[in-house]
Amino acid sequence: TVSTVEVKMATRVGPADARHVAAFLRVYGKSAPHGLILHGGTVATRLGAGIWAVPIAAVLGAAANRRVQ
């Protein structure tokens, strides 16, 4: 199984933001059944078949809110 993860700093993402992930999923077919877009917003949403947009903070937890020095 292959996975694709795209990271965007935008606080809102929509279906147009998933075009590269969708293209990846088409190329890899059953080998890549899901794609993930991590973003700077606060809401997780489904952007298409097998494509989810999830806040970076939801994945990284408190570490996402700390300043990197």
Side-chain angles (χ1 to χ4, degrees), residues 29-51:
K30 291 181 182 179
S31 295
H34 305 287
L36 181 65
I37 297 175
L38 300 177
H39 61 86
T42 58
V43 177
T45 187
R46 183 173 182 246
L47 295 179
I51 303 173

Side-chain angles (χ1 to χ4, degrees), residues 5-7 11-12 14 16 18 23 27-28 34 39-40 46 51 53 57 59 61:
V5 177
E6 185 171 338
V7 178
T11 56
R12 286 198 245 169
V27 169
Y28 285 90
H34 305 287
H39 61 86
R46 183 173 182 246
I51 303 173
V59 175

